[in-house]
Amino acid sequence: KAGVTQTPRYLIKTRGQQVTLSCSPISGHRSVSWYQQTPGQGLQFLFEYFSETQRNKGNFPGRFSGRQFSNSRSEMNVSTLELGDSALYLCASSSGTGSFKNIQYFGAGTRLSVL
Amino acid sequence: DAKTTQPPSMDCAEGRAANLPCNHSTISGNEYVYWYRQIHSQGPQYIIHGLKNNETNEMASLIITEDRKSSTLILPHATLRDTAVYYCIVTDYSTSYGKLTFGQGTILTVHP
């Protein structure tokens, strides 16, 4: 069974640009969560989608947005990039149902550098 | 989610058991204890979880105290590949909806 796939793995952008990151969850998983990891703040939750609906959102500005498609694939977008947005962005999928609904499986991440 | 407290770092000799403690004194009745680890530059990896009973799987054992205020993750025979940051997370899915709150974790270093 294929794991969580994130593309691209590395990205370099300049301040003011926007970026879109993609996440393909494990087949059959309906929940996708996004996290930002930086050396200073650690792993922080961005948002979670389940069946195309955002169910939970972390404490990030509106420049960070996401969506989920009918096949459960998800994208996150960051507009008007700032230097502080440089981070490893991680996506995780889970079944969202049943007794193991909250076990999250993480992708390898997208490393974003903002210059 | 209940707050967790973990030691910042621990060492372990290869082949010995690694016992990683976690305090979660404010845990509520519906909250589960989850353990994840993150090997350098990789995404976190699920290890084990439990509510109140001790749990064991192919990777580790989880011991939860009777009052549920603390737990211990046990790696029975640590190897060099177990060197990682270990995160203890306490959460109730019915309110957290896909959100895992990661603390600073414990950096476990396994020595030859």
Side-chain angles (χ1 to χ4, degrees), chain A residues 31 33 35 37 41 43 45 48 50 55-56 88 90 96 99-108 111, chain B residues 34 36 38 41-46 49 87 91-100 102-104:
Chain A
S31 169
S33 298
Y35 297 83
Q37 185 171 27
Q41 299 297 319
L43 270 156
F45 172 79
E48 186 259 6
F50 179 85
R55 292 194 304 183
N56 204 352
L88 179 66
L90 291 157
S99 58
F100 293 91
K101 54 182 175 285
N102 205 22
I103 296 175
Q104 297 189 15
Y105 297 87
F106 285 79
R111 186 164 294 281
Chain B
Y34 293 81
Y36 283 77
Q38 186 174 27
S41 297
Q42 298 181 20
Q45 176 190 24
Y46 164 79
H49 76 288
Y87 297 99
T91 187
D92 175 5
Y93 183 80
S94 64
T95 57
S96 67
Y97 286 132
K99 174 184 178 181
L100 296 176
F102 289 83
Q104 296 305 306

mmCIF file of all heavy atoms in Angstrom, chain A residues 31 33 35 37 41 43 45 48 50 55-56 88 90 96 99-108 111, chain B residues 34 36 38 41-46 49 87 91-100 102-104:
data_model
loop_
_atom_site.group_PDB
_atom_site.id
_atom_site.type_symbol
_atom_site.label_atom_id
_atom_site.label_comp_id
_atom_site.label_asym_id
_atom_site.label_seq_id
_atom_site.Cartn_x
_atom_site.Cartn_y
_atom_site.Cartn_z
ATOM 1 N N SER A 31 -9.185 11.665 5.781
ATOM 2 C CA SER A 31 -8.754 12.831 6.558
ATOM 3 C C SER A 31 -7.325 13.195 6.184
ATOM 4 O O SER A 31 -6.450 12.318 6.115
ATOM 5 C CB SER A 31 -8.841 12.520 8.051
ATOM 6 O OG SER A 31 -8.207 13.528 8.808
ATOM 7 N N SER A 33 -4.368 16.107 7.277
ATOM 8 C CA SER A 33 -3.950 17.206 8.157
ATOM 9 C C SER A 33 -2.645 17.779 7.635
ATOM 10 O O SER A 33 -1.824 17.060 7.070
ATOM 11 C CB SER A 33 -3.741 16.699 9.589
ATOM 12 O OG SER A 33 -4.932 16.181 10.135
ATOM 13 N N TYR A 35 0.786 20.305 8.637
ATOM 14 C CA TYR A 35 1.596 20.839 9.720
ATOM 15 C C TYR A 35 2.760 21.639 9.135
ATOM 16 O O TYR A 35 3.255 21.349 8.047
ATOM 17 C CB TYR A 35 2.179 19.721 10.596
ATOM 18 C CG TYR A 35 1.143 18.888 11.317
ATOM 19 C CD1 TYR A 35 0.504 17.824 10.679
ATOM 20 C CD2 TYR A 35 0.809 19.158 12.643
ATOM 21 C CE1 TYR A 35 -0.450 17.065 11.338
ATOM 22 C CE2 TYR A 35 -0.138 18.399 13.316
ATOM 23 C CZ TYR A 35 -0.762 17.358 12.644
ATOM 24 O OH TYR A 35 -1.690 16.602 13.306
ATOM 25 N N GLN A 37 6.674 22.774 10.218
ATOM 26 C CA GLN A 37 7.746 22.517 11.189
ATOM 27 C C GLN A 37 8.895 23.479 10.956
ATOM 28 O O GLN A 37 9.473 23.541 9.860
ATOM 29 C CB GLN A 37 8.249 21.078 11.091
ATOM 30 C CG GLN A 37 9.278 20.742 12.166
ATOM 31 C CD GLN A 37 9.617 19.269 12.224
ATOM 32 O OE1 GLN A 37 9.513 18.552 11.241
ATOM 33 N NE2 GLN A 37 9.989 18.784 13.395
ATOM 34 N N GLN A 41 9.685 26.980 16.266
ATOM 35 C CA GLN A 41 8.324 26.694 16.741
ATOM 36 C C GLN A 41 7.976 25.214 16.779
ATOM 37 O O GLN A 41 6.926 24.828 17.296
ATOM 38 C CB GLN A 41 7.303 27.424 15.871
ATOM 39 C CG GLN A 41 7.450 28.936 15.883
ATOM 40 C CD GLN A 41 7.223 29.507 17.262
ATOM 41 O OE1 GLN A 41 6.321 29.086 17.979
ATOM 42 N NE2 GLN A 41 8.079 30.444 17.648
ATOM 43 N N LEU A 43 6.691 21.551 15.515
ATOM 44 C CA LEU A 43 5.599 21.095 14.650
ATOM 45 C C LEU A 43 4.307 21.774 15.065
ATOM 46 O O LEU A 43 3.857 21.625 16.194
ATOM 47 C CB LEU A 43 5.421 19.585 14.784
ATOM 48 C CG LEU A 43 6.212 18.697 13.843
ATOM 49 C CD1 LEU A 43 6.402 17.320 14.445
ATOM 50 C CD2 LEU A 43 5.476 18.596 12.515
ATOM 51 N N PHE A 45 0.196 22.604 13.962
ATOM 52 C CA PHE A 45 -0.951 22.191 13.165
ATOM 53 C C PHE A 45 -1.502 23.370 12.362
ATOM 54 O O PHE A 45 -1.712 24.460 12.913
ATOM 55 C CB PHE A 45 -2.024 21.641 14.101
ATOM 56 C CG PHE A 45 -3.339 21.343 13.465
ATOM 57 C CD1 PHE A 45 -3.523 20.183 12.726
ATOM 58 C CD2 PHE A 45 -4.415 22.200 13.623
ATOM 59 C CE1 PHE A 45 -4.757 19.887 12.156
ATOM 60 C CE2 PHE A 45 -5.646 21.924 13.057
ATOM 61 C CZ PHE A 45 -5.814 20.762 12.319
ATOM 62 N N GLU A 48 -7.099 20.695 9.051
ATOM 63 C CA GLU A 48 -7.478 19.329 8.728
ATOM 64 C C GLU A 48 -8.719 19.332 7.857
ATOM 65 O O GLU A 48 -9.643 20.134 8.071
ATOM 66 C CB GLU A 48 -7.756 18.519 10.006
ATOM 67 C CG GLU A 48 -8.011 17.033 9.765
ATOM 68 C CD GLU A 48 -9.483 16.622 9.803
ATOM 69 O OE1 GLU A 48 -10.363 17.501 9.903
ATOM 70 O OE2 GLU A 48 -9.744 15.399 9.736
ATOM 71 N N PHE A 50 -11.657 16.716 6.009
ATOM 72 C CA PHE A 50 -12.292 15.393 5.997
ATOM 73 C C PHE A 50 -13.444 15.471 5.018
ATOM 74 O O PHE A 50 -14.325 16.327 5.165
ATOM 75 C CB PHE A 50 -12.787 15.016 7.392
ATOM 76 C CG PHE A 50 -13.462 13.683 7.469
ATOM 77 C CD1 PHE A 50 -12.727 12.528 7.637
ATOM 78 C CD2 PHE A 50 -14.847 13.582 7.366
ATOM 79 C CE1 PHE A 50 -13.338 11.281 7.708
ATOM 80 C CE2 PHE A 50 -15.471 12.350 7.438
ATOM 81 C CZ PHE A 50 -14.716 11.203 7.609
ATOM 82 N N ARG A 55 -12.402 20.769 8.991
ATOM 83 C CA ARG A 55 -13.036 20.538 10.293
ATOM 84 C C ARG A 55 -12.283 21.211 11.433
ATOM 85 O O ARG A 55 -12.842 21.424 12.503
ATOM 86 C CB ARG A 55 -13.101 19.039 10.592
ATOM 87 C CG ARG A 55 -14.032 18.253 9.717
ATOM 88 C CD ARG A 55 -14.287 16.875 10.291
ATOM 89 N NE ARG A 55 -13.064 16.123 10.507
ATOM 90 C CZ ARG A 55 -13.026 14.879 10.950
ATOM 91 N NH1 ARG A 55 -14.155 14.262 11.248
ATOM 92 N NH2 ARG A 55 -11.883 14.230 11.108
ATOM 93 N N ASN A 56 -11.030 21.500 11.197
ATOM 94 C CA ASN A 56 -10.236 22.060 12.272
ATOM 95 C C ASN A 56 -9.169 22.971 11.682
ATOM 96 O O ASN A 56 -8.677 22.726 10.573
ATOM 97 C CB ASN A 56 -9.572 20.940 13.095
ATOM 98 C CG ASN A 56 -9.218 21.364 14.503
ATOM 99 O OD1 ASN A 56 -9.320 22.536 14.854
ATOM 100 N ND2 ASN A 56 -8.820 20.419 15.315
ATOM 101 N N LEU A 88 9.512 23.191 6.854
ATOM 102 C CA LEU A 88 9.133 21.885 6.319
ATOM 103 C C LEU A 88 7.628 21.767 6.499
ATOM 104 O O LEU A 88 7.123 21.885 7.622
ATOM 105 C CB LEU A 88 9.850 20.765 7.073
ATOM 106 C CG LEU A 88 9.532 19.328 6.635
ATOM 107 C CD1 LEU A 88 10.039 19.063 5.216
ATOM 108 C CD2 LEU A 88 10.141 18.326 7.617
ATOM 109 N N LEU A 90 4.437 19.414 6.361
ATOM 110 C CA LEU A 90 4.124 17.996 6.433
ATOM 111 C C LEU A 90 2.629 17.773 6.289
ATOM 112 O O LEU A 90 1.818 18.517 6.835
ATOM 113 C CB LEU A 90 4.590 17.425 7.774
ATOM 114 C CG LEU A 90 6.105 17.346 7.957
ATOM 115 C CD1 LEU A 90 6.468 17.334 9.430
ATOM 116 C CD2 LEU A 90 6.661 16.106 7.266
ATOM 117 N N GLY A 96 -9.902 8.559 9.654
ATOM 118 C CA GLY A 96 -10.950 9.464 10.109
ATOM 119 C C GLY A 96 -12.173 8.756 10.665
ATOM 120 O O GLY A 96 -13.102 9.395 11.140
ATOM 121 N N SER A 99 -11.892 2.645 14.990
ATOM 122 C CA SER A 99 -11.110 2.693 16.233
ATOM 123 C C SER A 99 -9.708 3.247 16.033
ATOM 124 O O SER A 99 -9.069 3.670 16.987
ATOM 125 C CB SER A 99 -11.035 1.298 16.852
ATOM 126 O OG SER A 99 -10.468 0.395 15.928
ATOM 127 N N PHE A 100 -9.180 3.249 14.834
ATOM 128 C CA PHE A 100 -7.849 3.789 14.599
ATOM 129 C C PHE A 100 -7.926 5.085 13.791
ATOM 130 O O PHE A 100 -7.010 5.446 13.072
ATOM 131 C CB PHE A 100 -6.976 2.767 13.853
ATOM 132 C CG PHE A 100 -6.675 1.556 14.689
ATOM 133 C CD1 PHE A 100 -7.494 0.449 14.663
ATOM 134 C CD2 PHE A 100 -5.569 1.543 15.530
ATOM 135 C CE1 PHE A 100 -7.230 -0.656 15.453
ATOM 136 C CE2 PHE A 100 -5.285 0.445 16.311
ATOM 137 C CZ PHE A 100 -6.117 -0.663 16.274
ATOM 138 N N LYS A 101 -9.039 5.777 13.960
ATOM 139 C CA LYS A 101 -9.317 6.938 13.107
ATOM 140 C C LYS A 101 -8.319 8.065 13.274
ATOM 141 O O LYS A 101 -8.156 8.876 12.378
ATOM 142 C CB LYS A 101 -10.717 7.478 13.391
ATOM 143 C CG LYS A 101 -10.994 7.812 14.856
ATOM 144 C CD LYS A 101 -12.417 8.289 15.013
ATOM 145 C CE LYS A 101 -12.793 8.514 16.474
ATOM 146 N NZ LYS A 101 -13.003 7.238 17.173
ATOM 147 N N ASN A 102 -7.670 8.140 14.418
ATOM 148 C CA ASN A 102 -6.790 9.265 14.658
ATOM 149 C C ASN A 102 -5.319 8.940 14.489
ATOM 150 O O ASN A 102 -4.471 9.759 14.805
ATOM 151 C CB ASN A 102 -7.033 9.830 16.066
ATOM 152 C CG ASN A 102 -6.632 11.285 16.171
ATOM 153 O OD1 ASN A 102 -6.566 11.995 15.174
ATOM 154 N ND2 ASN A 102 -6.334 11.729 17.376
ATOM 155 N N ILE A 103 -5.003 7.778 13.994
ATOM 156 C CA ILE A 103 -3.601 7.467 13.748
ATOM 157 C C ILE A 103 -3.217 8.122 12.429
ATOM 158 O O ILE A 103 -3.792 7.819 11.386
ATOM 159 C CB ILE A 103 -3.366 5.953 13.689
ATOM 160 C CG1 ILE A 103 -3.680 5.344 15.054
ATOM 161 C CG2 ILE A 103 -1.934 5.659 13.270
ATOM 162 C CD1 ILE A 103 -3.601 3.848 15.061
ATOM 163 N N GLN A 104 -2.249 9.007 12.507
ATOM 164 C CA GLN A 104 -1.864 9.769 11.336
ATOM 165 C C GLN A 104 -0.578 9.228 10.737
ATOM 166 O O GLN A 104 0.370 8.917 11.447
ATOM 167 C CB GLN A 104 -1.707 11.245 11.698
ATOM 168 C CG GLN A 104 -3.012 11.868 12.164
ATOM 169 C CD GLN A 104 -2.936 13.363 12.327
ATOM 170 O OE1 GLN A 104 -2.017 14.031 11.859
ATOM 171 N NE2 GLN A 104 -3.925 13.915 13.007
ATOM 172 N N TYR A 105 -0.588 9.141 9.422
ATOM 173 C CA TYR A 105 0.580 8.679 8.676
ATOM 174 C C TYR A 105 1.107 9.861 7.884
ATOM 175 O O TYR A 105 0.373 10.460 7.091
ATOM 176 C CB TYR A 105 0.189 7.522 7.753
ATOM 177 C CG TYR A 105 -0.303 6.320 8.511
ATOM 178 C CD1 TYR A 105 -1.644 6.203 8.861
ATOM 179 C CD2 TYR A 105 0.572 5.319 8.919
ATOM 180 C CE1 TYR A 105 -2.100 5.114 9.587
ATOM 181 C CE2 TYR A 105 0.122 4.219 9.636
ATOM 182 C CZ TYR A 105 -1.211 4.125 9.970
ATOM 183 O OH TYR A 105 -1.657 3.045 10.697
ATOM 184 N N PHE A 106 2.369 10.159 8.119
ATOM 185 C CA PHE A 106 2.955 11.376 7.559
ATOM 186 C C PHE A 106 3.719 11.117 6.273
ATOM 187 O O PHE A 106 4.325 10.056 6.088
ATOM 188 C CB PHE A 106 3.925 12.004 8.572
ATOM 189 C CG PHE A 106 3.236 12.697 9.712
ATOM 190 C CD1 PHE A 106 2.714 11.976 10.764
ATOM 191 C CD2 PHE A 106 3.120 14.080 9.726
ATOM 192 C CE1 PHE A 106 2.069 12.610 11.826
ATOM 193 C CE2 PHE A 106 2.490 14.726 10.770
ATOM 194 C CZ PHE A 106 1.966 13.995 11.816
ATOM 195 N N GLY A 107 3.688 12.133 5.419
ATOM 196 C CA GLY A 107 4.535 12.125 4.248
ATOM 197 C C GLY A 107 5.934 12.608 4.598
ATOM 198 O O GLY A 107 6.214 12.946 5.757
ATOM 199 N N ALA A 108 6.803 12.644 3.595
ATOM 200 C CA ALA A 108 8.191 13.057 3.821
ATOM 201 C C ALA A 108 8.328 14.579 3.915
ATOM 202 O O ALA A 108 9.354 15.083 4.362
ATOM 203 C CB ALA A 108 9.083 12.532 2.710
ATOM 204 N N ARG A 111 9.972 20.855 1.649
ATOM 205 C CA ARG A 111 10.820 21.882 2.277
ATOM 206 C C ARG A 111 10.756 23.138 1.436
ATOM 207 O O ARG A 111 11.197 23.154 0.284
ATOM 208 C CB ARG A 111 12.260 21.399 2.422
ATOM 209 C CG ARG A 111 13.113 22.404 3.209
ATOM 210 C CD ARG A 111 14.401 21.796 3.708
ATOM 211 N NE ARG A 111 14.198 20.745 4.697
ATOM 212 C CZ ARG A 111 13.935 20.938 5.983
ATOM 213 N NH1 ARG A 111 13.795 22.164 6.447
ATOM 214 N NH2 ARG A 111 13.808 19.912 6.799
ATOM 215 N N TYR B 34 -0.768 9.018 22.668
ATOM 216 C CA TYR B 34 -0.135 8.586 21.422
ATOM 217 C C TYR B 34 1.363 8.854 21.508
ATOM 218 O O TYR B 34 1.807 9.836 22.103
ATOM 219 C CB TYR B 34 -0.672 9.381 20.221
ATOM 220 C CG TYR B 34 -2.115 9.129 19.871
ATOM 221 C CD1 TYR B 34 -3.139 9.754 20.561
ATOM 222 C CD2 TYR B 34 -2.452 8.271 18.829
ATOM 223 C CE1 TYR B 34 -4.471 9.529 20.244
ATOM 224 C CE2 TYR B 34 -3.771 8.029 18.490
ATOM 225 C CZ TYR B 34 -4.777 8.664 19.205
ATOM 226 O OH TYR B 34 -6.092 8.438 18.885
ATOM 227 N N TYR B 36 4.675 9.179 18.874
ATOM 228 C CA TYR B 36 5.236 9.274 17.533
ATOM 229 C C TYR B 36 6.728 9.504 17.673
ATOM 230 O O TYR B 36 7.204 9.965 18.696
ATOM 231 C CB TYR B 36 4.632 10.458 16.757
ATOM 232 C CG TYR B 36 3.240 10.232 16.229
ATOM 233 C CD1 TYR B 36 2.138 10.295 17.076
ATOM 234 C CD2 TYR B 36 3.020 9.948 14.890
ATOM 235 C CE1 TYR B 36 0.854 10.080 16.599
ATOM 236 C CE2 TYR B 36 1.740 9.737 14.395
ATOM 237 C CZ TYR B 36 0.669 9.798 15.259
ATOM 238 O OH TYR B 36 -0.608 9.589 14.775
ATOM 239 N N GLN B 38 10.241 10.999 15.253
ATOM 240 C CA GLN B 38 10.683 11.642 14.029
ATOM 241 C C GLN B 38 12.193 11.466 13.898
ATOM 242 O O GLN B 38 12.955 11.999 14.717
ATOM 243 C CB GLN B 38 10.307 13.120 14.007
ATOM 244 C CG GLN B 38 10.616 13.799 12.677
ATOM 245 C CD GLN B 38 10.100 15.224 12.614
ATOM 246 O OE1 GLN B 38 9.957 15.894 13.618
ATOM 247 N NE2 GLN B 38 9.823 15.703 11.395
ATOM 248 N N SER B 41 14.890 14.714 9.569
ATOM 249 C CA SER B 41 14.482 15.121 8.222
ATOM 250 C C SER B 41 13.390 14.245 7.612
ATOM 251 O O SER B 41 13.116 14.351 6.425
ATOM 252 C CB SER B 41 15.678 15.150 7.257
ATOM 253 O OG SER B 41 16.606 16.116 7.675
ATOM 254 N N GLN B 42 12.783 13.378 8.411
ATOM 255 C CA GLN B 42 11.666 12.583 7.907
ATOM 256 C C GLN B 42 10.370 13.030 8.571
ATOM 257 O O GLN B 42 10.395 13.755 9.567
ATOM 258 C CB GLN B 42 11.897 11.097 8.181
ATOM 259 C CG GLN B 42 13.117 10.512 7.505
ATOM 260 C CD GLN B 42 13.272 9.029 7.810
ATOM 261 O OE1 GLN B 42 12.318 8.357 8.203
ATOM 262 N NE2 GLN B 42 14.479 8.510 7.625
ATOM 263 N N GLY B 43 9.238 12.595 8.036
ATOM 264 C CA GLY B 43 7.965 12.872 8.692
ATOM 265 C C GLY B 43 7.827 12.027 9.942
ATOM 266 O O GLY B 43 8.413 10.939 10.041
ATOM 267 N N PRO B 44 7.057 12.484 10.932
ATOM 268 C CA PRO B 44 6.842 11.685 12.132
ATOM 269 C C PRO B 44 6.235 10.326 11.799
ATOM 270 O O PRO B 44 5.511 10.169 10.812
ATOM 271 C CB PRO B 44 5.869 12.536 12.961
ATOM 272 C CG PRO B 44 6.123 13.936 12.503
ATOM 273 C CD PRO B 44 6.438 13.801 11.033
ATOM 274 N N GLN B 45 6.549 9.354 12.646
ATOM 275 C CA GLN B 45 6.083 7.979 12.459
ATOM 276 C C GLN B 45 5.293 7.563 13.682
ATOM 277 O O GLN B 45 5.767 7.696 14.822
ATOM 278 C CB GLN B 45 7.293 7.058 12.256
ATOM 279 C CG GLN B 45 6.952 5.588 12.146
ATOM 280 C CD GLN B 45 8.191 4.708 12.196
ATOM 281 O OE1 GLN B 45 9.228 5.090 12.737
ATOM 282 N NE2 GLN B 45 8.083 3.517 11.621
ATOM 283 N N TYR B 46 4.105 7.033 13.476
ATOM 284 C CA TYR B 46 3.278 6.522 14.565
ATOM 285 C C TYR B 46 3.954 5.308 15.188
ATOM 286 O O TYR B 46 4.489 4.436 14.482
ATOM 287 C CB TYR B 46 1.906 6.143 14.040
ATOM 288 C CG TYR B 46 1.091 5.265 14.979
ATOM 289 C CD1 TYR B 46 0.424 5.803 16.078
ATOM 290 C CD2 TYR B 46 1.022 3.892 14.764
ATOM 291 C CE1 TYR B 46 -0.316 4.996 16.928
ATOM 292 C CE2 TYR B 46 0.283 3.082 15.615
ATOM 293 C CZ TYR B 46 -0.376 3.640 16.702
ATOM 294 O OH TYR B 46 -1.102 2.840 17.544
ATOM 295 N N HIS B 49 -0.435 3.646 20.671
ATOM 296 C CA HIS B 49 -1.330 4.501 21.429
ATOM 297 C C HIS B 49 -2.136 3.645 22.410
ATOM 298 O O HIS B 49 -2.218 2.415 22.247
ATOM 299 C CB HIS B 49 -2.251 5.307 20.516
ATOM 300 C CG HIS B 49 -3.400 4.521 19.920
ATOM 301 N ND1 HIS B 49 -3.214 3.578 18.926
ATOM 302 C CD2 HIS B 49 -4.724 4.568 20.170
ATOM 303 C CE1 HIS B 49 -4.387 3.083 18.586
ATOM 304 N NE2 HIS B 49 -5.320 3.655 19.323
ATOM 305 N N TYR B 87 7.831 11.867 20.546
ATOM 306 C CA TYR B 87 6.776 12.770 20.989
ATOM 307 C C TYR B 87 5.656 11.990 21.677
ATOM 308 O O TYR B 87 5.146 11.007 21.134
ATOM 309 C CB TYR B 87 6.170 13.525 19.809
ATOM 310 C CG TYR B 87 7.110 14.434 19.068
ATOM 311 C CD1 TYR B 87 7.718 14.016 17.883
ATOM 312 C CD2 TYR B 87 7.380 15.723 19.526
ATOM 313 C CE1 TYR B 87 8.571 14.853 17.177
ATOM 314 C CE2 TYR B 87 8.230 16.565 18.840
ATOM 315 C CZ TYR B 87 8.819 16.127 17.666
ATOM 316 O OH TYR B 87 9.660 16.960 16.972
ATOM 317 N N THR B 91 -4.648 13.356 23.296
ATOM 318 C CA THR B 91 -5.694 14.025 22.538
ATOM 319 C C THR B 91 -6.994 13.230 22.550
ATOM 320 O O THR B 91 -6.993 12.003 22.684
ATOM 321 C CB THR B 91 -5.231 14.279 21.092
ATOM 322 O OG1 THR B 91 -6.187 15.084 20.406
ATOM 323 C CG2 THR B 91 -5.060 12.968 20.340
ATOM 324 N N ASP B 92 -8.086 13.959 22.365
ATOM 325 C CA ASP B 92 -9.417 13.376 22.232
ATOM 326 C C ASP B 92 -9.884 13.658 20.813
ATOM 327 O O ASP B 92 -10.117 14.811 20.456
ATOM 328 C CB ASP B 92 -10.361 14.011 23.262
ATOM 329 C CG ASP B 92 -11.796 13.545 23.108
ATOM 330 O OD1 ASP B 92 -12.069 12.655 22.267
ATOM 331 O OD2 ASP B 92 -12.662 14.067 23.837
ATOM 332 N N TYR B 93 -10.008 12.617 20.013
ATOM 333 C CA TYR B 93 -10.328 12.813 18.599
ATOM 334 C C TYR B 93 -11.645 13.539 18.398
ATOM 335 O O TYR B 93 -11.795 14.318 17.469
ATOM 336 C CB TYR B 93 -10.367 11.468 17.871
ATOM 337 C CG TYR B 93 -10.612 11.610 16.388
ATOM 338 C CD1 TYR B 93 -9.573 11.959 15.534
ATOM 339 C CD2 TYR B 93 -11.878 11.398 15.848
ATOM 340 C CE1 TYR B 93 -9.780 12.090 14.177
ATOM 341 C CE2 TYR B 93 -12.094 11.526 14.489
ATOM 342 C CZ TYR B 93 -11.044 11.866 13.656
ATOM 343 O OH TYR B 93 -11.247 12.012 12.305
ATOM 344 N N SER B 94 -12.606 13.308 19.274
ATOM 345 C CA SER B 94 -13.928 13.892 19.071
ATOM 346 C C SER B 94 -13.903 15.411 19.163
ATOM 347 O O SER B 94 -14.839 16.080 18.713
ATOM 348 C CB SER B 94 -14.932 13.335 20.081
ATOM 349 O OG SER B 94 -14.560 13.719 21.391
ATOM 350 N N THR B 95 -12.844 15.964 19.723
ATOM 351 C CA THR B 95 -12.709 17.423 19.788
ATOM 352 C C THR B 95 -11.506 17.926 18.993
ATOM 353 O O THR B 95 -11.499 19.064 18.549
ATOM 354 C CB THR B 95 -12.573 17.908 21.239
ATOM 355 O OG1 THR B 95 -11.449 17.249 21.840
ATOM 356 C CG2 THR B 95 -13.821 17.592 22.039
ATOM 357 N N SER B 96 -10.531 17.082 18.793
ATOM 358 C CA SER B 96 -9.307 17.548 18.124
ATOM 359 C C SER B 96 -9.376 17.438 16.616
ATOM 360 O O SER B 96 -8.691 18.149 15.907
ATOM 361 C CB SER B 96 -8.101 16.781 18.639
ATOM 362 O OG SER B 96 -8.177 15.417 18.239
ATOM 363 N N TYR B 97 -10.206 16.518 16.106
ATOM 364 C CA TYR B 97 -10.397 16.379 14.657
ATOM 365 C C TYR B 97 -9.106 16.531 13.860
ATOM 366 O O TYR B 97 -8.891 17.521 13.178
ATOM 367 C CB TYR B 97 -11.405 17.377 14.136
ATOM 368 C CG TYR B 97 -12.830 17.033 14.488
ATOM 369 C CD1 TYR B 97 -13.676 17.992 15.012
ATOM 370 C CD2 TYR B 97 -13.321 15.747 14.319
ATOM 371 C CE1 TYR B 97 -14.980 17.680 15.345
ATOM 372 C CE2 TYR B 97 -14.623 15.415 14.657
ATOM 373 C CZ TYR B 97 -15.449 16.401 15.169
ATOM 374 O OH TYR B 97 -16.728 16.095 15.507
ATOM 375 N N GLY B 98 -8.258 15.518 13.966
ATOM 376 C CA GLY B 98 -7.096 15.494 13.099
ATOM 377 C C GLY B 98 -5.952 16.380 13.539
ATOM 378 O O GLY B 98 -4.958 16.499 12.830
ATOM 379 N N LYS B 99 -6.082 17.008 14.690
ATOM 380 C CA LYS B 99 -5.014 17.866 15.188
ATOM 381 C C LYS B 99 -4.204 17.128 16.241
ATOM 382 O O LYS B 99 -4.748 16.684 17.247
ATOM 383 C CB LYS B 99 -5.601 19.137 15.815
ATOM 384 C CG LYS B 99 -4.561 20.031 16.487
ATOM 385 C CD LYS B 99 -5.226 21.205 17.175
ATOM 386 C CE LYS B 99 -4.214 22.075 17.896
ATOM 387 N NZ LYS B 99 -4.870 23.209 18.594
ATOM 388 N N LEU B 100 -2.915 16.988 15.978
ATOM 389 C CA LEU B 100 -1.992 16.473 16.976
ATOM 390 C C LEU B 100 -1.154 17.648 17.472
ATOM 391 O O LEU B 100 -0.591 18.384 16.662
ATOM 392 C CB LEU B 100 -1.086 15.395 16.380
ATOM 393 C CG LEU B 100 -1.772 14.114 15.906
ATOM 394 C CD1 LEU B 100 -0.751 13.181 15.261
ATOM 395 C CD2 LEU B 100 -2.467 13.417 17.068
ATOM 396 N N PHE B 102 2.065 18.700 19.049
ATOM 397 C CA PHE B 102 3.415 18.222 19.328
ATOM 398 C C PHE B 102 4.115 19.180 20.284
ATOM 399 O O PHE B 102 4.111 20.389 20.071
ATOM 400 C CB PHE B 102 4.229 18.125 18.036
ATOM 401 C CG PHE B 102 3.815 17.017 17.110
ATOM 402 C CD1 PHE B 102 2.755 17.188 16.230
ATOM 403 C CD2 PHE B 102 4.483 15.802 17.115
ATOM 404 C CE1 PHE B 102 2.369 16.176 15.378
ATOM 405 C CE2 PHE B 102 4.105 14.772 16.257
ATOM 406 C CZ PHE B 102 3.047 14.961 15.388
ATOM 407 N N GLY B 103 4.733 18.615 21.315
ATOM 408 C CA GLY B 103 5.598 19.398 22.192
ATOM 409 C C GLY B 103 7.014 19.348 21.643
ATOM 410 O O GLY B 103 7.212 19.124 20.443
ATOM 411 N N GLN B 104 7.977 19.548 22.528
ATOM 412 C CA GLN B 104 9.381 19.517 22.106
ATOM 413 C C GLN B 104 9.919 18.100 22.008
ATOM 414 O O GLN B 104 10.930 17.863 21.358
ATOM 415 C CB GLN B 104 10.240 20.347 23.059
ATOM 416 C CG GLN B 104 9.897 21.822 23.052
ATOM 417 C CD GLN B 104 9.964 22.421 21.662
ATOM 418 O OE1 GLN B 104 10.981 22.310 20.962
ATOM 419 N NE2 GLN B 104 8.876 23.034 21.211
#
